[in-house]
Amino acid sequence: MPTIRHVTAFLESFAPLAYQESYDNAGLLVGDPDTAVTGILATLDCTEAVVAEAVAKGCNLIVAHHPIVFKGLKKLNGSNYVERTVISAIKNDVAIYATHTNLDSVTGGVNFMIAEKLGLQNVRILAPKTKTLMKLATFVPVADTQRVLDALHEAGAGNIGNYSRASFRVEGTGAYQAGDGANPVLGSIGDYHREPEHRIEVIFPAHQQRTILAALRKAHPYEEIAYDLYALENADQTVGSGVVGELPQSVSDQNWLAYLKERMNLPLIRHTALLGRPVQRVAVCGGAGGFLLNDAVRASADVFVTADYKYHEFFDADGRIVICDIGHYESEVFTKDLLIRRLAEKFTTFAVIFSETDTNPVRYYV
Ligand SMILES: [Zn+2]
């Protein structure tokens, strides 16, 4: 019987918590990870009504995009909707897990889902993350090189874009003198031993350092393993904020707005002045994406689809791009589809269902 821990480990295998922003609070917010899962309810927001829906539908795990507990909770007496939601979840043995900016940041995450909805092609990360990659260099007796590499790849090292099992090796001579108490696999105590070795190098995500080193220790034949870890400055092109891609054909800006409204099922679009130029390259950031405007301009996007723009921020478009504010809820509501698609593929012994509660706090009078 899969437990909550199995589900969260699976979610974190494609949306690692290490990729959440520093201000975020993604992860298991409420619940015991060793509880067996009876069903999963996927939602954009977790509210009291969503907890009630989970109970009614026999789901003891809610997977939400937005963390209901965002700032610290100092009291838990039901004085606001956050506290009431948490109390209700605890009373009903319903766990709450949030996959938020980490799911925004990964390839195949929230922004890729929006790009898919918009039929964009050649979709890539708009602002790739830096300081998330490391390199391991280690020194292995020639006969053991491939076995050690296989173990490192198995643990997640050597992935670059669409390439896997990437490594570099160069042959040289390792030398050492084993002292008292040592138990050398090659050479003997007191001898100055020389051994043909490979220096092998692999890249890996920094958050997997412990797993990678554990795999190295297990596979490497030596009692003491020489290795170097390097923090890399390279941006990881597969992780970061926002995406950009192209429509198969350019459309007029008027037709673009109609298309956007229809594809994202929008009641309205708040946008800056149209520029009378065809639209083909589209930058996207679900939720509040205003911080990416200059990245969108640098990427030569014709339009920037995002949400949560304030009046004065619209001026920043400055004739360079058309900002399309489609609403926070509307931009991210399809995250439910993304979660369900992934979870239902992996877990088949319990139901993985959509929350039908409309959690949008914004209503429109049109
Ligand atoms: Zn959001």
Side-chain angles (χ1 to χ4, degrees):
M1 193 76 178
T3 62
I4 289 170
R5 196 188 298 281
H6 290 120
V7 175
T8 61
F10 171 68
L11 289 166
E12 288 161 25
S13 70
F14 64 86
L17 291 177
Y19 293 154
Q20 67 182 307
E21 299 298 332
S22 54
Y23 57 80
D24 202 0
N25 192 37
L28 186 63
L29 303 176
V30 175
D32 174 355
D34 293 319
T35 307
V37 176
T38 60
I40 299 177
L41 189 67
T43 183
L44 184 62
D45 306 283
C46 183
T47 60
E48 273 183 285
V50 173
V51 175
E53 185 186 0
V55 173
K57 291 178 174 171
C59 297
N60 67 349
L61 173 59
I62 293 170
V63 177
H65 182 47
H66 295 136
I68 177 72
V69 181
F70 200 60
K71 301 171 227 153
L73 276 179
K74 286 199 168 180
K75 296 190 177 72
L76 207 48
N77 58 27
S79 66
N80 60 50
Y81 78 97
V82 173
E83 294 176 13
R84 286 195 301 276
T85 304
V86 172
I87 290 169
S88 170
I90 293 170
K91 276 187 177 168
N92 288 289
D93 273 327
V94 172
I96 304 173
Y97 182 85
T99 177
H100 189 212
T101 51
N102 49 326
L103 189 61
D104 289 330
S105 300
V106 293
T107 297
V110 175
N111 296 312
F112 282 80
M113 187 74 196
I114 300 170
E116 184 186 318
K117 281 266 156 201
L118 294 175
L120 301 185
Q121 300 175 336
N122 186 27
V123 179
R124 60 264 180 212
I125 299 281
L126 183 59
K129 248 191 201 317
T130 55
K131 304 194 191 302
T132 60
L133 290 171
M134 292 189 77
K135 177 173 275 192
L136 167 70
T138 186
F139 307 85
V140 190
V142 167
D144 296 285
T145 298
Q146 198 55 51
R147 200 171 46 79
V148 171
L149 272 176
D150 288 345
L152 294 172
H153 294 324
E154 186 62 30
N159 297 314
I160 305 176
N162 291 326
Y163 293 80
S164 60
R165 302 173 61 79
S167 69
F168 179 80
R169 74 183 73 175
V170 63
E171 198 168 336
T173 305
Y176 50 82
Q177 183 166 347
D180 289 342
N183 184 23
V185 176
L186 298 165
S188 41
I189 291 176
D191 284 349
Y192 181 64
H193 181 78
R194 290 168 184 253
E195 184 66 33
E197 292 178 355
H198 280 134
R199 171 192 165 100
I200 59 178
E201 297 181 24
V202 284
I203 203 167
F204 63 92
H207 69 93
Q208 288 182 346
Q209 183 178 320
R210 273 171 51 182
T211 321
I212 300 288
L213 289 182
L216 174 65
R217 282 189 200 100
K218 202 159 167 225
H220 199 293
Y222 283 176
E223 190 177 21
E224 299 293 344
I225 304 168
Y227 65 90
D228 307 328
L229 290 173
Y230 302 91
L232 300 183
E233 292 293 323
N234 313 37
D236 185 345
Q237 303 297 329
T238 65
V239 180
S241 303
V243 295
V244 61
E246 285 86 33
L247 295 168
Q249 273 120 30
S250 67
V251 294
S252 72
D253 44 19
Q254 281 292 347
N255 284 349
W256 156 253
L257 290 177
Y259 175 80
L260 176 61
K261 185 168 189 282
E262 188 261 319
R263 291 305 283 259
M264 298 300 290
N265 197 22
L266 307 173
L268 54 86
I269 301 168
R270 298 160 74 229
H271 64 90
T272 55
L274 298 181
L275 303 174
R277 299 200 296 243
V279 172
Q280 185 157 25
R281 183 165 295 168
V282 178
V284 168
C285 182
F291 68 100
L292 287 172
L293 180 66
N294 287 333
D295 295 281
V297 171
R298 259 196 300 277
S300 304
D302 303 304
V303 293
F304 180 34
V305 178
T306 186
D308 287 356
Y309 255 82
K310 292 181 188 163
Y311 176 78
H312 288 286
E313 294 168 351
F314 279 102
F315 285 101
D316 296 334
D318 207 10
R320 302 176 296 168
I321 196 168
V322 179
I323 296 168
C324 300
D325 183 333
I326 63 171
H328 196 127
Y329 180 86
E330 290 79 2
S331 72
E332 294 188 325
V333 66
F334 298 108
T335 305
K336 284 194 264 190
D337 299 67
L338 168 68
L339 291 170
I340 296 220
R341 198 190 285 172
R342 295 273 196 156
L343 288 166
E345 212 170 78
K346 172 78 179 172
F347 299 101
T348 50
T349 54
F350 50 75
V352 182
I353 52 178
F354 285 94
S355 166
E356 290 167 304
T357 308
D358 178 1
T359 59
N360 192 357
V362 183
R363 302 291 149 141
Y364 305 99
Y365 178 76
V366 286

